[in-house]
Amino acid sequence: MMGFGFSIWVLLLLNLACCSRGFTPVDQFYVNCGSSSDAVVGNITFVADKSATKYLSTPQEILADSNLNSITRADDSPLFRTARIFNGPSKYTFPIRQGGRHWIRLHFYPFSYQNYDMKSASFSVFSQKTTLLSDFTPKDAIVREYSVNVEKGDLVITFSPSSNSIAYVNAIEVASVPDDLIADAAQLYSSSGQFTGLAAQSLQTVARLNMGGPFVSLVNDTLGRNWESDSSYLKQPNLATSKSNIPAVQYPNGGATVDTAPPTVYGTCTKMNSDSDPRSNFNVTWDIPVDPGFQYWVRMHFCDIVSVSPTDSVFDVYIDTYVVYRDLELSTKLYGKLATAFFADFVTPVLDRPNVSVSIGPSPRSPYPDAFLNGLEVMKIRNSKDSLAGTSVLPSFPKSKKKLGIIVGVSVGVPVALILVGILFFMHRRRKQQQLKLSKTWVPIWVNGGASHTMGSKYSTGTTVSVGSNQSYRIPFVAVQDATNNFDESWVIGVGGFGKVYKGELHDGTKVAVKRGNPRSQQGLAEFRTEIEMLSQFRHRHLVSLIGYCDEKNEMILVYEYMENGTVKSHLYGSDLPSLGWKERLEICIGAAKGLHYLHTGDAKPVIHRDVKSANILLDENLMAKVADFGLSKTGPDIDQTHVSTAVKGSFGYLDPEYFRRQQLTEKSDVYSFGVVLFEVLCARPVIDPSLPREKVNLAEWVMKCQKKGQLDQIIDANLVGKIKPDSLRKFGETAEKCLADYGVDRPSMGDVLWNLEYALQLQEAVIQNDPEENSTNAIGQLSPQVGEFNHVETTTSVAQFETSSVDDLSGVSMSRVFSQLVKSEGR
Ligand SMILES: *[C@@H]1O[C@H](CO)[C@@H](O)[C@H](O)[C@H]1NC(C)=O
Ligand SMILES: *[C@@H]1O[C@H](CO)[C@@H](O)[C@H](O)[C@H]1NC(C)=O
Ligand SMILES: *[C@@H]1O[C@H](CO)[C@@H](O)[C@H](O)[C@H]1NC(C)=O
Ligand SMILES: *[C@@H]1O[C@H](CO)[C@@H](O)[C@H](O)[C@H]1NC(C)=O
């Protein structure tokens, strides 16, 4: 027995040596749960349980051994022999070095161990805010595979027993997947348009089939996947036959690679059994059982190993009753090459039946009736309740000190992080840097507009088109019309310098904000492009995300995630919205500061937003702040060199006087504008209010006077009077004041601002007793202690004197156009 097993592994290893893997995962964790020894499967070593206890938090150590020495079934892996049993909520926390897509594979095999009845165990499993399994009872050996996107530090897998039950797992795999394996967009075949946002989705593998070939194990797959034979899924096996020519398989330049599927998959196919009858007219159909109520991602793999000449095969392809390809002629997509790998992705509507059916059938255009398919993958897409299974509820864990770092790393933003603020303060700097690094390592696939990584519609529609950067963001005009009820005026939620903003809903139910540009002007077009470029490069929880854009028919349309609670400005004044509390306001400022800090310290080149104002900071349904409107942003070398711009841009009342004077742009201009926002948040009044007495018209000017006289507390929002702790107010005031320093060099960096705001929040929240450092400003900041006398430049006067009919227009709208007029008129 041992000898036999040994020689199999040697064979497998030899096999491996001859075909090199295309991809090396940065993160890889393979755990042989419950076992005292390592187990090798393929060339993957699953480590003994004791090597993985550092990742595990569980109420009790229960290591179960089936004591099965012999493997009873051909496909039984050594991993099934032992298991970890959990008699309460338990979790594995794996530190992730590189954000992005990861496999999670969970191996289950129920056996009996002591008093634990694994066969009737029922439990739920969660990861990445997704319910992976809900009240699940494995009946036999089973491996569940998921593909999740890890944006932040740790990947946590939580096991939660149903009431009066236990949970268990026999083996766990977590490994990086190339981010471009699954394109962000795929064709929705039941309606026009695309399903976008796949890059961030959690998916579960439902079926992965090798048409016309045998089971392909992880040994023959560069990404450790298994491919099942398709024969048991064929509706009418007698109508089908198979063909194999693995050595012939080629990969195109751009498109499918060996990571998409190995030659062993592309080199075999199931085809119409039509060779003996030129009048054959039938479909070959596969039925894949699925759970109704979900959408599914379907990838078809084609490779023409059937035809003799490139124009031999023309056929139709269906999913359910929809035609997804009429007259598919692979050779036209592959420059006339035979035996070349090609794939196409589709997304189903929410299914109301328990099958996804895929059919292929002859086209009347074909010289001879034939049709073939080489591979098929079906993955379940997480539903709107963040579940891939039922509706189980993530258990809560008692907070233990030991795991503190981990909890915080994973769930910044949830209440637990707030509770810990006090303790965190001292760990602060390091954590901040870590977060920054992590959020930057997650590079969305469509970022790399260059040739090698361009995914675009080439992949999702299956047509070979020349793909520019950002292609997969493109949304058809009809889909935008659909989403906005044909630009229904009653759906308008805002009007800005750029055009109107509509509320909308995409086909898949995603709520969106649709910004439709005024007819093309040079100015607008430049801003449109900048915005797409910026937002497709930068992804951060405190930056509004771009869902797509449309430039058909001279349109300039941008589609963003919908921000339920509108602008920060609308919560401060000029509306009936309830007044925000001090803590809420601080958290909003902290969120916005994080977004700006991320931009300033961005990947390759820092980015200057150039239009920071309360109308450009938006709030989601949880009042989380996100920075928006990147139309004026600038990257790059400008920042290092002395940048002289011909047109000063930005919004009145927020403009950095130094930028205005010297036309030299630095990140510190954003810091100035953000300082104005801070005072706006504190005082809840417009930044320019011509209806007020002269000395109060300009908020920045006015608050600086009051701050100098130590009278800041007299001009704060009436709703906040008596609700801000004096220390918190002092810290906040000092921070904002420093942002408004006359010279950029005297202003703090966005990182320092962020740090000080978090401290202001801590001073508001925490009861710190007898902290000797609390009253010492020096202990907190390396901010330059003396802010130069604030000599407001003459230009501010002209701003204040500028005649305006509507105050709101002045401070709420991007004023670049008006501003250039002003500059001109002054010059006259
Ligand atoms: C398996 O082998 C390949 C090449 O021999 C290597 O690149 C890969 O990292 C190995 N995988 C594991 C999990 O060791
Ligand atoms: C796996 O790959 C090896 C080496 O290319 C090959 O000899 C073997 O037949 C493959 N196995 C299958 C099931 O295709
Ligand atoms: C193949 O299936 C499609 C979709 O169900 C159907 O419309 C078509 O008529 C079928 N073709 C044949 C030849 O049965
Ligand atoms: C689903 O597929 C199975 C297996 O082919 C088949 O027996 C069943 O009729 C199908 N159900 C539906 C609703 O199509």
Side-chain angles (χ1 to χ4, degrees):
M1 193 67 225
M2 275 316 284
F4 176 64
F6 178 69
S7 59
I8 285 184
W9 297 129
V10 168
L11 270 178
L12 292 176
L13 286 172
L14 286 178
N15 276 348
L16 236 141
C18 68
C19 49
S20 70
R21 288 188 168 227
F23 173 77
T24 310
V26 174
D27 297 303
Q28 30 186 340
F29 302 93
Y30 305 101
V31 187
N32 187 10
C33 302
S35 175
S36 55
S37 58
D38 292 358
V40 179
V41 177
N43 69 336
I44 296 176
T45 302
F46 286 75
V47 299
D49 194 296
K50 63 176 186 300
S51 313
T53 48
K54 58 176 175 285
Y55 306 126
L56 177 64
S57 139
T58 185
Q60 200 185 337
E61 296 284 313
I62 311 170
L63 281 67
D65 194 330
S66 64
N67 292 316
L68 288 174
N69 295 319
S70 61
I71 301 172
T72 50
R73 290 169 17 165
D75 61 343
D76 272 353
S77 95
L79 301 171
F80 290 140
R81 286 180 195 156
T82 59
R84 253 286 173 180
I85 292 179
F86 308 116
N87 60 356
S90 305
K91 64 186 173 187
Y92 281 93
T93 305
F94 297 106
I96 296 301
R97 281 198 289 154
Q98 187 175 318
R101 219 160 243 298
H102 286 69
W103 295 126
I104 297 176
R105 296 195 185 98
L106 304 173
H107 301 239
F108 301 105
Y109 180 60
F111 54 80
S112 285
Y113 175 73
Q114 294 179 356
N115 298 329
Y116 300 103
D117 184 7
M118 290 161 69
K119 288 203 166 82
S120 61
S122 165
F123 54 92
S124 302
V125 182
F126 308 86
S127 187
Q128 295 305 108
K129 297 192 190 133
T130 305
T131 308
L132 304 184
L133 293 164
S134 176
D135 297 325
F136 177 60
T137 301
K139 292 290 175 217
D140 199 353
I142 187 166
V143 180
R144 285 295 178 96
E145 181 184 271
Y146 304 89
S147 172
V148 298
N149 202 322
V150 189
E151 286 185 46
K152 290 223 155 61
D154 292 321
L155 188 151
V156 182
I157 305 174
T158 304
F159 294 84
S160 173
S162 310
S163 55
N164 297 321
S165 187
I166 53 164
Y168 67 89
V169 65
N170 300 65
I172 297 181
E173 299 175 50
V174 169
S176 309
V177 184
D179 280 332
D180 59 6
L181 181 67
I182 293 177
D184 189 60
Q187 190 70 35
L188 279 163
Y189 58 79
S190 61
S191 63
S192 61
Q194 294 198 322
F195 183 98
T196 54
L198 278 163
Q201 268 292 353
S202 298
L203 306 168
Q204 180 199 331
T205 308
V206 173
R208 184 177 293 121
L209 307 181
N210 177 24
M211 285 14 201
F215 177 79
V216 173
S217 78
L218 74 171
V219 177
N220 284 56
D221 184 282
T222 54
L223 303 181
R225 294 166 293 195
N226 288 328
W227 300 75
E228 248 183 292
S229 166
D230 68 315
S231 50
S232 63
Y233 294 89
L234 276 169
K235 200 166 184 171
Q236 290 172 283
N238 58 313
L239 297 179
T241 182
S242 61
K243 187 154 183 180
S244 167
N245 188 357
I246 295 171
V249 173
Q250 295 175 36
Y251 290 91
N253 285 329
T257 69
V258 68
D259 288 336
T260 316
T264 44
V265 170
Y266 277 118
T268 63
C269 71
T270 293
K271 63 185 277 302
M272 279 177 74
N273 190 2
S274 59
D275 289 355
S276 56
D277 186 357
R279 290 159 305 161
S280 298
N281 187 19
F282 55 82
N283 287 336
V284 174
T285 300
W286 294 262
D287 276 326
I288 315 294
V290 296
D291 296 331
F294 288 89
Q295 287 188 281
Y296 292 84
W297 174 86
V298 178
R299 172 170 286 180
M300 297 185 202
H301 299 271
F302 299 97
C303 182
D304 190 351
I305 52 165
V306 170
S307 306
V308 179
S309 106
T311 52
D312 280 0
S313 291
V314 184
F315 56 95
D316 294 342
V317 182
Y318 312 86
I319 302 180
D320 297 329
T321 52
Y322 296 91
V323 188
V324 297
Y325 277 122
R326 174 77 71 202
D327 304 329
L328 172 64
E329 200 173 343
L330 281 179
S331 60
T332 63
K333 300 190 181 302
L334 297 163
Y335 311 103
K337 288 206 199 103
L338 283 175
T340 304
F342 176 81
F343 68 93
D345 297 348
F346 300 93
V347 169
T348 71
V350 175
L351 293 183
D352 52 6
R353 7 181 274 126
N355 283 343
V356 169
S357 314
V358 171
S359 306
I360 49 173
S363 154
R365 277 193 44 212
S366 186
Y368 194 90
D370 206 350
F372 57 84
L373 185 61
N374 303 63
L376 178 67
E377 291 174 84
V378 179
M379 295 186 97
K380 192 196 256 184
I381 301 174
R382 181 177 65 185
N383 66 15
S384 57
K385 298 194 174 66
D386 289 341
S387 178
L388 283 162
T391 52
S392 295
V393 181
L394 184 67
S396 55
F397 288 86
K399 282 155 206 104
S400 89
K401 282 224 160 170
K402 202 179 126 211
K403 297 280 176 189
L404 205 57
I406 292 163
I407 296 170
V408 169
V410 184
S411 53
V412 174
V414 306
V416 82
L418 298 175
I419 296 163
L420 296 171
V421 153
I423 305 157
L424 266 181
F425 177 57
F426 296 100
M427 303 161 51
H428 184 92
R429 305 227 114 217
R430 225 188 49 203
R431 176 170 66 90
K432 210 171 52 180
Q433 278 157 8
Q434 257 166 14
Q435 268 177 17
L436 192 70
K437 235 191 279 151
L438 290 163
S439 54
K440 278 198 290 186
T441 49
W442 185 67
V443 181
I445 51 158
W446 10 255
V447 167
N448 304 317
S452 59
H453 286 285
T454 319
M455 296 302 288
S457 47
K458 176 171 58 172
Y459 286 57
S460 34
T461 64
T463 48
T464 314
V465 293
S466 66
V467 185
S469 60
N470 307 315
Q471 272 288 336
S472 59
Y473 271 122
R474 199 172 255 159
I475 297 181
F477 185 67
V478 286
V480 182
Q481 273 179 312
D482 258 15
T484 55
N485 199 20
N486 200 14
F487 302 102
D488 194 328
E489 283 301 305
S490 65
W491 291 26
V492 171
I493 49 172
V495 183
F498 181 89
K500 284 182 182 162
V501 184
Y502 301 81
K503 187 177 164 164
E505 191 168 322
L506 294 182
H507 188 79
D508 65 353
T510 312
K511 279 189 170 179
V512 292
V514 175
K515 194 155 121 183
R516 189 186 197 188
N518 294 326
R520 263 181 195 181
S521 65
Q522 260 331 96
Q523 169 77 27
L525 188 59
E527 291 186 15
F528 179 66
R529 289 200 180 124
T530 310
E531 180 110 17
I532 294 171
E533 237 162 71
M534 291 294 162
L535 281 176
S536 53
Q537 272 182 63
F538 296 98
R539 291 242 139 188
H540 189 269
R541 62 194 262 121
H542 292 291
L543 301 182
V544 166
S545 6
L546 182 69
I547 290 176
Y549 71 93
C550 172
D551 58 358
E552 270 170 48
K553 305 182 187 161
N554 273 5
E555 289 283 349
M556 294 188 292
I557 296 171
L558 294 162
V559 180
Y560 304 90
E561 65 175 312
Y562 183 67
M563 298 292 285
E564 199 79 43
N565 276 309
T567 68
V568 166
K569 186 180 165 212
S570 68
H571 288 263
L572 294 175
Y573 48 88
S575 78
D576 303 333
L577 295 169
S579 165
L580 298 169
W582 181 236
K583 188 181 150 223
E584 281 167 321
R585 295 189 202 198
L586 278 175
E587 280 166 357
I588 288 166
C589 294
I590 288 168
K594 283 180 181 165
L596 289 171
H597 177 53
Y598 171 76
L599 285 180
H600 288 178
T601 54
D603 260 339
K605 295 173 181 173
V607 170
I608 305 171
H609 184 286
R610 289 218 295 177
D611 201 10
V612 175
K613 57 183 177 182
S614 59
N616 278 344
I617 300 170
L618 305 183
L619 300 174
D620 75 1
E621 70 272 23
N622 303 316
L623 291 179
M624 186 167 91
K626 301 194 182 202
V627 178
D629 214 332
F630 293 75
L632 297 180
S633 306
K634 277 260 178 215
T635 42
D638 291 345
I639 291 163
D640 310 322
Q641 296 150 20
T642 303
H643 174 69
V644 178
S645 153
T646 41
V648 171
K649 290 180 180 144
S651 296
F652 275 121
Y654 295 96
L655 253 184
D656 169 12
E658 189 180 40
Y659 170 43
F660 191 81
R661 236 182 6 249
R662 301 176 52 196
Q663 308 206 339
Q664 185 176 343
L665 187 64
T666 73
E667 300 98 303
K668 295 294 178 69
S669 300
D670 282 351
V671 173
Y672 181 92
S673 308
F674 190 69
V676 179
V677 171
L678 292 180
F679 280 127
E680 199 184 350
V681 165
L682 181 67
C683 304
R685 55 151 277 188
V687 294
I688 305 275
D689 188 346
S691 67
L692 292 172
R694 167 69 195 94
E695 77 271 19
K696 296 184 181 175
V697 169
N698 183 311
L699 173 67
E701 217 173 332
W702 172 235
V703 289
M704 287 302 275
K705 278 198 192 108
C706 299
Q707 170 77 343
K708 293 251 153 15
K709 288 192 242 158
Q711 297 170 344
L712 190 61
D713 55 336
Q714 293 172 23
I715 59 164
I716 64 172
D717 182 1
N719 291 309
L720 293 175
V721 170
K723 294 183 182 148
I724 311 181
K725 293 216 177 125
D727 285 330
S728 181
L729 178 61
R730 182 175 50 78
K731 186 83 240 162
F732 187 88
E734 280 171 10
T735 308
E737 179 186 7
K738 279 165 185 155
C739 293
L740 296 192
D742 202 10
Y743 295 97
V745 289
D746 297 329
R747 295 175 204 148
S749 71
M750 218 52 229
D752 287 330
V753 174
L754 171 56
W755 188 42
N756 280 280
L757 289 176
E758 288 189 345
Y759 190 49
L761 175 64
Q762 191 205 351
L763 290 171
Q764 178 72 16
E765 292 266 278
V767 187
I768 302 174
Q769 269 153 6
N770 303 326
D771 183 342
E773 296 194 337
E774 197 226 322
N775 290 319
S776 155
T777 320
N778 292 338
I780 305 157
Q782 326 78 330
L783 301 177
S784 70
Q786 66 278 60
V787 175
E789 273 298 299
F790 190 79
N791 298 322
H792 226 300
V793 286
E794 314 76 25
T795 45
T796 321
T797 319
S798 42
V799 169
Q801 286 165 350
F802 185 71
E803 286 293 326
T804 172
S805 49
S806 154
V807 176
D808 215 48
D809 279 354
L810 254 189
S811 50
V813 173
S814 182
M815 292 306 289
S816 46
R817 216 162 295 133
V818 185
F819 208 103
S820 52
Q821 278 163 15
L822 175 67
V823 173
K824 267 191 224 126
S825 65
E826 275 186 340
R828 268 189 241 145

